[in-house]
Amino acid sequence: MVRRMLLESNPYRVRVALLDDDRVTDLFVERVDQHGVVGNIYKGRVTRVLPGMDAAFVDIGLARDAYLYAGDLRIGAASEEGDEEAAPELPVIDEVLHPGEEILVQVRRDAMPNKGARIHTEISLPGRFLVWMPQGRGVGVSRRIEDPEERERLEQILAGFSDVSGGLIIRTAGKGRPAERLRADFDMLQSAWAEIQERLRTETAPALLYHEQDLAVRAVRDLFRPDVDELWVDGDSTHDRILSYLDRSAPAMVDKVRRAEVPGYLFEHMGVEREIERARKRRVWLPSGGHIVIQPTEALISIDVNTGRYVGKEALEQTVLQTNLEAAEEIAHQLRLRDLGGLIVVDFIDMAEEANREKVFQLLQEALERDHQRTRLLGFSEFGLVQITRRRARMDLVRLLTEVCPTCKGRGRIPEALSVCLQMRRDLLFGPLLSSNGRARVRLHPDTLAALESRHSHLKRELDEHFKGRLEWVAAPAIKRHEFLIEALP
């Protein structure tokens, strides 16, 4: 399998894609004018403490106050690359925090629509090979490093870091790295923490103390691992920055970096643009002709599995099993590709045999284990639903690449033509919009006017007869389909 990483950068946007044998597995987008704040460290000021919510709101200098849950006040003990031990008992929030108090916080999740950023006090500084929690405790090796001998070697290196305070984790990228390289990475993190501490003493809240790297460097730091065969970069200045970063942190990886020959077309030539267009759609087709429908809502993401065009070749149970197996693989892929997070509920097609349900669940579990984000999976419920939780840190791909429809305001549905026509009829017959002579011009969207002249011609005929030719009908493409405009004529 050939694994590639693509990085496209221009003055307005950065995009990163990971491909396994030309199939896009992960996609990340960051606009320059909407830079995320996850990982940033702030000196904040508590504005409100809400015991009834076990939470506080903190001013960190953003448009909306950040949200601090009581459980995120602890200085936890991380075990392996972001996995936390069982949470201790929640502190009593109003005994720990008070309005006006200044605290050091880090952003865990970007602001969402109608929600401020989520923050915590468990500060962590990520390097290329290590994650250091200056105020934490415990050391460990990423569980993604499975080789027992390598784990033992890395644990021995950690034992030699006798001067280390706080918590320290060797990331997956640390596999095979010599002790000197790991030590250099830690020295860099110590230097960054010293700068944060100095700014903490001198800055007035709210203040930004540490700015997380932009997507280009962050992606190379976190995702450009030895198992990636090539890194293609589109953008001269970004190419130079990446080489400079790798020269300092991972010189052995420099030879894998390639510069895109034709600026602006890297994603097009590698087939990523087609996958992005596919990721915008609610319906995703499966190899055999079935499909899944992905529908985000306010509280959760629902995914429905359907046989679609697939009619199978044997019994119904085999047709359903084949569709569900394909869906399980595609669902895990789409969660990564679209970067969907929170609660996901999957409605697989009903299966009569328990063994088949187990096959589908096992495949879904294995597919989710390849995800970079932390996921949890619950088995089939009494109603045949499977629940997944996936860590959400940033805005998902669809929100980043699309805008809310100005016609339906994000509902995905607009009033049908008859409803619009009946509102218009009411205003014509009973509203105060006409002049004394009763002449008027009615402007409608062309589709609505076409429906009025065909399916609802009886309604138009009623109005024409009532006004005896004093109505002028106009097709107006600029008017939204669910609206109309009545103008009185002299």
Side-chain angles (χ1 to χ4, degrees):
M1 180 175 66
V2 178
R3 181 164 291 168
R4 295 185 178 91
M5 183 173 178
L6 312 182
L7 200 164
E8 177 203 78
S9 175
N10 59 47
Y12 311 99
R13 183 180 66 184
V14 177
R15 299 193 295 180
V16 176
L18 292 178
L19 287 76
D20 287 350
D21 283 340
D22 299 325
R23 188 189 190 201
V24 182
T25 59
D26 297 88
L27 186 63
F28 308 95
V29 180
E30 186 172 86
R31 285 172 45 174
V32 173
D33 62 344
Q34 294 181 351
H35 196 289
V37 295
V38 172
N40 286 1
I41 299 174
Y42 294 88
K43 183 179 185 180
R45 178 178 288 108
V46 178
T47 56
R48 288 183 293 163
V49 179
L50 306 175
M53 294 180 61
D54 286 328
F57 287 91
V58 182
D59 180 10
I60 59 174
L62 303 181
R64 190 185 294 268
D65 284 354
Y67 176 81
L68 176 61
Y69 176 57
D72 292 328
L73 275 168
R74 67 188 187 280
I75 306 298
S79 56
E80 293 184 338
E81 199 152 351
D83 295 327
E84 298 176 355
E85 291 180 350
E89 184 179 348
L90 287 181
V92 180
I93 191 81
D94 56 346
E95 293 181 359
V96 180
L97 293 179
H98 306 90
E101 182 178 350
E102 295 183 347
I103 58 173
L104 181 67
V105 296
Q106 186 171 31
V107 177
R108 179 189 295 272
R109 187 185 68 197
D110 272 330
M112 302 291 174
N114 303 318
K115 293 182 180 179
R118 183 162 178 175
I119 55 178
H120 62 121
T121 59
E122 185 182 341
I123 308 300
S124 63
L125 296 174
R128 176 158 177 80
F129 308 122
L130 303 170
V131 176
W132 182 40
M133 291 143 289
Q135 302 161 317
R137 62 184 184 275
V139 296
V141 177
S142 169
R143 63 181 176 186
R144 292 180 185 269
I145 301 177
E146 299 177 348
D147 180 41
E149 293 184 2
E150 178 62 10
R151 292 186 66 87
E152 183 179 357
R153 185 186 74 87
L154 293 174
E155 288 168 357
Q156 290 176 352
I157 292 175
L158 281 176
F161 281 48
S162 56
D163 59 330
V164 173
S165 60
L168 189 64
I169 300 166
I170 296 183
R171 310 182 71 180
T172 308
K175 180 180 180 180
R177 304 296 174 182
E180 316 84 72
R181 181 62 61 187
L182 299 177
R183 184 74 208 194
D185 203 39
F186 179 67
D187 290 343
M188 181 192 68
L189 297 178
Q190 280 188 311
S191 176
W193 179 240
E195 292 180 13
I196 292 170
Q197 291 293 96
E198 177 61 27
R199 297 195 66 188
L200 180 63
R201 286 191 293 268
T202 58
E203 297 283 351
T204 302
L208 174 64
L209 306 183
Y210 170 84
H211 197 292
E212 173 64 299
Q213 300 278 9
D214 70 329
L215 176 59
V217 175
R218 193 170 70 241
V220 171
R221 180 192 70 196
D222 296 342
L223 302 174
F224 188 38
R225 297 169 177 169
D227 61 346
V228 178
D229 300 292
E230 298 173 342
L231 168 59
W232 287 86
V233 182
D234 181 354
D236 291 342
S237 62
T238 301
H239 180 268
D240 294 341
R241 281 201 301 134
I242 296 306
L243 288 181
S244 176
Y245 174 78
L246 291 174
D247 272 334
R248 298 191 308 271
S249 63
M253 301 287 282
V254 170
D255 291 340
K256 295 184 177 184
V257 180
R258 311 279 187 270
R259 188 195 300 264
E261 297 178 359
V262 183
Y265 286 90
L266 177 63
F267 276 37
E268 185 75 35
H269 291 162
M270 294 292 191
V272 180
E273 295 290 2
R274 291 194 304 272
E275 195 68 19
I276 292 175
E277 182 61 31
R278 186 168 175 247
R280 288 195 184 107
K281 298 178 179 177
R282 293 172 58 242
R283 179 171 298 181
V284 180
W285 290 98
L286 303 173
S288 294
H291 65 262
I292 62 175
V293 178
I294 303 172
Q295 182 62 56
T297 69
E298 192 72 21
L300 52 82
I301 296 164
S302 68
I303 301 179
D304 188 37
V305 182
N306 299 283
T307 54
R309 298 189 296 256
Y310 182 50
V311 296
K313 297 180 180 179
E314 301 178 19
L316 173 61
E317 183 75 5
Q318 283 303 114
T319 303
V320 169
L321 175 61
Q322 178 66 25
T323 304
N324 282 340
L325 289 172
E326 292 179 1
E329 190 74 43
E330 187 62 38
I331 286 166
H333 174 65
Q334 290 296 323
L335 293 182
R336 289 178 63 182
L337 183 66
R338 302 176 188 226
D339 200 15
L340 297 172
L343 176 62
I344 300 108
V345 178
V346 184
D347 184 10
F348 285 102
I349 307 171
D350 290 340
M351 292 170 285
E353 299 180 18
E354 179 63 31
N356 290 339
R357 286 194 291 273
E358 184 59 33
K359 287 180 183 177
V360 172
F361 182 80
Q362 185 65 33
L363 180 61
L364 179 59
Q365 190 171 44
E366 292 172 359
L368 288 173
E369 287 174 355
R370 300 193 291 268
D371 201 331
H372 299 293
Q373 292 288 6
R374 189 165 59 247
T375 61
R376 288 185 60 212
L377 179 63
L378 296 180
F380 281 89
S381 72
E382 181 181 353
F383 299 107
L385 304 176
V386 172
Q387 298 177 60
I388 305 168
T389 61
R390 185 174 186 271
R391 183 174 179 268
R392 175 171 55 192
R394 294 178 170 86
M395 194 175 293
D396 64 79
L397 186 69
V398 173
R399 288 182 184 272
L400 283 169
L401 299 180
T402 62
E403 298 177 348
V404 174
C405 169
T407 298
C408 71
K409 301 293 190 296
R411 294 190 302 272
R413 308 280 297 182
I414 60 174
E416 45 115 13
L418 179 60
S419 296
V420 178
C421 292
L422 288 174
Q423 290 180 357
M424 174 201 64
R425 175 185 180 275
R426 177 201 61 195
D427 289 351
L428 282 171
L429 295 178
F430 310 112
L433 301 174
L434 300 182
S435 62
S436 58
N437 62 16
R439 295 186 65 242
R441 179 183 293 120
V442 184
R443 297 182 183 273
L444 299 165
H445 187 276
D447 292 347
T448 307
L449 182 56
L452 183 63
E453 292 175 338
S454 56
R455 301 196 306 273
H456 311 304
S457 58
H458 58 286
L459 194 155
K460 182 175 183 296
R461 186 164 53 250
E462 177 201 6
L463 293 173
D464 285 336
E465 291 176 356
H466 178 83
F467 286 93
K468 302 185 184 326
R470 294 184 307 231
L471 288 182
E472 179 182 327
W473 302 96
V474 177
I479 290 182
K480 297 174 183 177
R481 289 184 58 177
H482 67 293
E483 295 179 348
F484 58 86
L485 178 63
I486 300 174
E487 303 170 316
L489 297 177

